[in-house]
Amino acid sequence: MFTKWRIFAVNHQRTFSVHLNTMCYCKIKANLKRLKTQLPLTRNYSSAPGIAGSDVKSLHSVINPPVAKIRNIGIMAHIDAGKTTTTERILYYSGYTRSLGDVDDGDTVTDFMAQERERGITIQSAAVTLDWKGYRVNLIDTPGHVDFTLEVERCLRVLDGAVAVFDASAGVEAQTLTVWRQADKHKIPRICFLNKMDKTGASFNYAVESIREKLKAKPLILQLPIGEARTFQGVVDVVNKEKLLWNSNSDDGKDFERMPLSEASDRELLKETIEARNSLIEQVADLDDEFADLVLGEFSENFDLVPAEKLQAAVHRVTLAQAAVPVLCGSALKNKGVQPLLDAVTTYLPSPEEREDRFLQWYEGDLCALAFKVLHDKQRGPLVFLRIYSGTLTPQLAVHNINRNCTERMSRLLLPFADQHVEIPSLTAGNIALTVGLKQTATGDTIVSSKSSALAAARRAGRGEREHGKKREAESLLLAGVEVPEPVFFCTIEPPSVAKQPDLDHALERLQREDPSLKVKLDPDSGQTVLCGMGELHIEIIHDRIKREYGLETYLGPLQVAYRETILNSVRATDTLDRVLGDKRHLVSAELEVRPAEEPCAVAKIEYADCVGEDLLQASREAIESAVHSACLQGPLLGSPVQDVAMTLHSLMIHPGTSTTMVTACISRCMQKVRSTLHALH
């Protein structure tokens, strides 16, 4: 058995030294695994970003590479498709970690929260910065669970491209559809990686077909698998007609051979690859006119002569236009296919300058950045993630927050690397930065160099948009932020004692700033604090974080679903209110119609008929809208908020001298009649 255990710390990292006499391998492994659960490990990174092994690069080239060499990408997928494992392999092969982490062992770089390592899932997105063959890759690993969909939403808002990871045995799954729609909303070019090709039941053709049918996308097959499930050995590069085989004796997957397919040894594979390449050329030619002219002009007789560089450039253009998605395959867990995936990221996904937003022209090179995430550090305070769209960030820089209309000073500028960060002297446009010192900035805020810079940009935007008659659009572009979904579940939360209530309020305030999808409100009837979140797991994680990070033992009430009500039929109602108060007569008569809205909307959409006078509306519009919105706070079935409804005011008559309070009361009575009618229909 063990003769001695020694546990010691080196550079703030816990390592284990085990002195053994005799013990079977399975018992050693079992004991080590049990010890890992008791003492969470911290990864030992090989070096600061930009230094891999003995290759020490110039600090300036590492921090501020050319914009064309930057790739801001996200890894997105359904839960348990292999996002974090793929990220771990990317970091290892790019030289930023010395060892391969494992989700099951709880020692991956991007899953650094205690809750993530215990559950083996990603809870919050983590950013890492790495270099690959002369390219700077800012990579964000996003959660796959639907409860943390805001993490995906706010990351996609600032990314230029994405890698969608699929389980090759399952194809497109439920959350895959959700993240795909989010990427569509933000118009993100993406490539597909069919992971787990070694898994029992893996099928390349099934996964590709599910992408075509369920996502309504056009897959461009750039790789073919060599074997499936247990027989999976490597991949075929369709563009270059080469096979990539990984050394079976290599534990880390760094050693692989790239060999041209030959007629002698790979007859069937070569035939299949030529057919796939010809099909790829035809697909791309249909989607890209420049490539079609090239193919039909010089290579119409023999597609085999089409240069790989020309085909890759055409696939890049098609991907950027989001007309199709390149498809690659591999097995991240078995260390196969990750290096070609990195090559595809740099080859096919766009650089920041290819994804420039139109509103940046108004800044004319001045600083413009978007805060997309906030974290709280016990020593440093709030850490704010910024995507720099134009200009340069430097430490000790005073910046202006347009949304909050305040000026703050950044104390430090960092390069994000999961839970470890590298301090840097400056960062230019196209990069993702981590700042210290911005105490009022929140998710979705626009950061500029000064208030005068924002006013100047607004003036330029106003002049430019007035020429096209779109001044409102210019204003919204300057403040483009992140859409926060409405909570789905809620429950009460109570501190262990009344004396701890201020501590709980402080913890919830910080957590809300980190996670805008978490809402906290006070129940007006009971006076209890109500926690509103995106799901059961979301609220459970928040409860656990309050206990671990803030040392508060809180009690949660029963979980309830935040139901919403809507209407299925149109209903009309008329009401007349005639009152004499003192020596004044108050007379209001109104007719309105409530119907299902054509598009989803959280707040009732209010319209006015042409016969309703504009002068009348100017005096009573606020009273009308207040009455409608108040009536939609509680529905007739469960008393839940009403949404996806539209109201049209067909007629309104107001006697001179009638107060706005009477107008509100009349509209409220009309809405009450609508409620009664709808309740009777049910």
Side-chain angles (χ1 to χ4, degrees):
M1 299 304 291
F2 294 112
T3 58
K4 190 177 182 182
W5 278 99
R6 287 194 299 142
I7 303 176
F8 56 95
V10 179
N11 293 333
H12 307 291
Q13 310 227 5
R14 290 174 180 168
T15 56
F16 299 90
S17 177
V18 184
H19 295 262
L20 312 172
N21 283 336
T22 55
M23 190 178 198
C24 67
Y25 174 75
C26 60
K27 286 185 179 179
I28 297 172
K29 190 172 182 180
N31 277 286
L32 285 173
K33 188 134 187 171
R34 187 163 58 250
L35 192 55
K36 273 185 179 179
T37 60
Q38 296 169 3
L39 295 170
L41 292 171
T42 303
R43 292 301 306 281
N44 182 22
Y45 305 135
S46 60
S47 55
I51 303 172
S54 59
D55 181 19
V56 181
K57 302 174 183 176
S58 131
L59 189 62
H60 187 271
S61 67
V62 169
I63 294 172
N64 291 313
V67 179
K69 294 287 187 179
I70 297 174
R71 297 291 183 271
N72 294 310
I73 66 164
I75 307 286
M76 62 181 198
H78 184 85
I79 189 170
D80 204 31
K83 299 179 298 300
T84 301
T85 304
T86 303
T87 304
E88 190 67 27
R89 271 48 182 179
I90 287 173
L91 290 172
Y92 180 71
Y93 297 134
S94 57
Y96 285 77
T97 53
R98 292 189 185 277
S99 60
L100 289 169
D102 194 292
V103 173
D104 294 333
D105 292 340
D107 61 350
T108 56
V109 171
T110 52
D111 284 355
F112 53 83
M113 287 176 64
Q115 293 88 346
E116 291 176 318
R117 295 188 168 183
E118 286 174 0
R119 291 169 170 81
I121 62 171
T122 301
I123 292 171
Q124 66 176 17
S125 55
V128 288
T129 304
L130 58 103
D131 291 339
W132 178 256
K133 296 183 178 179
Y135 286 84
R136 156 63 48 79
V137 180
N138 297 312
L139 184 148
I140 297 180
D141 178 26
T142 64
H145 201 286
V146 69
D147 283 21
F148 310 107
T149 189
L150 177 69
E151 286 289 324
V152 183
E153 178 78 20
R154 62 181 174 183
C155 291
L156 289 177
R157 168 66 186 84
V158 298
L159 295 176
D160 302 316
V163 177
V165 181
F166 298 80
D167 184 334
S169 65
V172 175
E173 298 174 87
Q175 187 63 7
T176 313
L177 283 164
T178 303
V179 297
W180 196 268
R181 290 192 196 105
Q182 288 174 306
D184 282 338
K185 182 172 71 174
H186 294 290
K187 299 180 180 178
I188 303 291
R190 67 218 79 149
I191 59 179
C192 299
F193 180 61
L194 305 184
N195 192 26
K196 303 190 178 184
M197 284 302 304
D198 62 311
K199 186 178 177 181
T200 303
S203 171
F204 180 82
N205 292 331
Y206 167 75
V208 170
E209 197 58 34
S210 70
I211 292 172
R212 183 180 287 111
E213 289 182 2
K214 295 181 180 179
L215 300 179
K216 308 301 179 188
K218 295 179 180 178
L220 301 176
I221 298 175
L222 304 185
Q223 289 181 352
L224 294 172
I226 301 176
E228 291 179 347
R230 291 185 178 181
T231 61
F232 179 66
Q233 300 173 1
V235 299
V236 173
D237 184 343
V238 172
V239 175
N240 295 293
K241 291 187 290 187
E242 296 175 335
K243 63 180 179 180
L244 284 71
L245 295 175
W246 273 260
N247 188 346
S248 58
N249 296 323
S250 174
D251 293 331
D252 60 5
K254 277 191 174 181
D255 300 327
F256 67 95
E257 292 182 276
R258 182 184 286 270
M259 298 174 288
L261 292 169
S262 64
E263 183 73 31
S265 59
D266 311 298
R267 178 174 297 178
E268 289 300 320
L269 197 56
L270 179 61
K271 182 182 176 182
E272 187 180 352
T273 304
I274 291 173
E275 289 177 359
R277 193 174 193 267
N278 291 342
S279 176
L280 174 65
I281 290 170
E282 290 174 3
Q283 277 183 285
V284 176
D286 286 341
L287 300 170
D288 186 79
D289 293 338
E290 183 182 338
F291 186 69
D293 293 340
L294 177 72
V295 171
L296 294 175
E298 299 180 36
F299 309 104
S300 56
E301 295 183 2
N302 189 355
F303 284 175
D304 284 348
L305 300 177
V306 175
E309 297 79 15
K310 297 289 185 182
L311 181 53
Q312 286 175 339
V315 172
H316 173 78
R317 291 193 297 271
V318 168
T319 306
L320 184 59
Q322 299 162 62
V325 287
V327 176
L328 299 93
C329 61
S331 171
L333 186 63
K334 299 297 182 182
N335 312 315
K336 297 175 181 177
V338 178
Q339 296 96 325
L341 174 63
L342 266 171
D343 292 335
V345 164
T346 58
T347 304
Y348 302 119
L349 291 180
S351 67
E353 62 185 1
E354 293 176 300
R355 290 265 304 163
E356 274 195 1
D357 291 290
R358 189 163 57 89
F359 78 94
L360 290 180
Q361 61 182 306
W362 314 128
Y363 284 97
E364 296 184 347
D366 283 347
L367 174 66
C368 178
L370 180 71
F372 68 94
K373 184 170 179 171
V374 179
L375 291 176
H376 278 276
D377 187 271
K378 289 183 179 178
Q379 282 77 35
R380 295 168 175 162
L383 304 177
V384 180
F385 285 84
L386 296 177
R387 164 66 196 271
I388 309 171
Y389 286 99
S390 68
T392 303
L393 272 181
T394 55
Q396 303 301 323
L397 180 69
V399 294
H400 180 70
N401 186 325
I402 296 180
N403 300 63
R404 314 276 163 186
N405 193 24
C406 66
T407 299
E408 298 186 273
R409 184 174 296 277
M410 285 188 307
S411 59
R412 300 171 68 191
L413 185 63
L414 308 169
L415 207 60
F417 196 73
D419 59 337
Q420 295 191 4
H421 316 298
V422 179
E423 193 162 352
I424 50 175
S426 68
L427 208 57
T428 54
N431 283 288
I432 291 174
L434 186 59
T435 62
V436 181
L438 302 181
K439 296 181 179 179
Q440 297 186 52
T441 303
T443 298
D445 288 355
T446 304
I447 303 297
V448 295
S449 56
S450 64
K451 189 171 185 177
S452 59
S453 170
L455 292 172
R459 283 195 299 271
R460 296 186 203 108
R463 286 198 301 269
E465 294 296 341
R466 272 198 297 272
E467 294 173 4
H468 301 88
K470 297 179 181 177
K471 187 177 180 184
R472 285 187 181 179
E473 183 183 351
E475 292 170 358
S476 66
L477 281 172
L478 289 168
L479 302 173
V482 180
E483 290 184 20
V484 180
E486 285 297 312
V488 181
F489 287 80
F490 67 93
C491 67
T492 57
I493 182 168
E494 295 180 359
S497 65
V498 178
K500 293 289 185 180
Q501 185 65 48
D503 295 335
L504 176 60
D505 293 340
H506 173 70
L508 291 174
E509 183 184 352
R510 283 193 165 189
L511 290 170
Q512 280 186 96
R513 191 176 173 200
E514 285 189 27
D515 182 2
S517 65
L518 173 69
K519 302 287 175 64
V520 179
K521 60 184 182 181
L522 198 66
D523 190 308
D525 299 324
S526 64
Q528 291 178 298
T529 303
V530 180
L531 207 59
C532 307
M534 299 303 298
E536 186 176 358
L537 179 61
H538 185 204
I539 291 177
E540 183 185 329
I541 294 296
I542 294 297
H543 184 224
D544 192 43
R545 288 188 64 187
I546 291 171
K547 178 182 177 182
R548 294 192 190 209
E549 297 174 22
Y550 299 94
L552 290 173
E553 286 282 357
T554 54
Y555 305 102
L556 293 182
L559 200 65
Q560 300 179 60
V561 179
Y563 287 108
R564 296 290 184 270
E565 298 182 29
T566 190
I567 63 174
L568 302 176
N569 305 301
S570 297
V571 177
R572 278 203 182 210
T574 306
D575 190 76
T576 301
L577 185 66
D578 191 356
R579 292 281 188 277
V580 177
L581 299 175
D583 57 349
K584 280 190 177 182
R585 185 186 182 193
H586 300 269
L587 175 62
V588 185
S589 180
E591 181 185 1
L592 57 81
E593 178 189 12
V594 180
R595 65 185 187 281
E598 295 178 0
E599 296 180 354
C601 54
V603 181
K605 187 178 179 182
I606 302 173
E607 298 172 350
Y608 303 94
D610 296 335
C611 61
V612 180
E614 188 64 34
D615 294 339
L616 205 61
L617 277 181
Q618 284 182 354
S620 56
R621 186 190 296 269
E622 187 177 338
I624 294 168
E625 293 180 355
S626 174
V628 173
H629 292 152
S630 297
C632 290
L633 292 177
Q634 288 187 323
L637 298 179
L638 298 175
S640 301
V642 179
Q643 66 178 40
D644 301 340
V645 298
M647 188 280 286
T648 302
L649 186 65
H650 288 288
S651 68
L652 180 66
M653 188 277 292
I654 302 176
H655 188 273
T658 301
S659 69
T660 55
T661 306
M662 292 298 174
V663 177
T664 302
C666 181
I667 299 297
S668 295
R669 284 173 38 154
C670 277
M671 294 297 291
Q672 189 62 39
K673 288 182 179 180
V674 169
R675 277 186 55 159
S676 301
T677 305
L678 290 170
H679 191 59
L681 290 174
H682 285 280

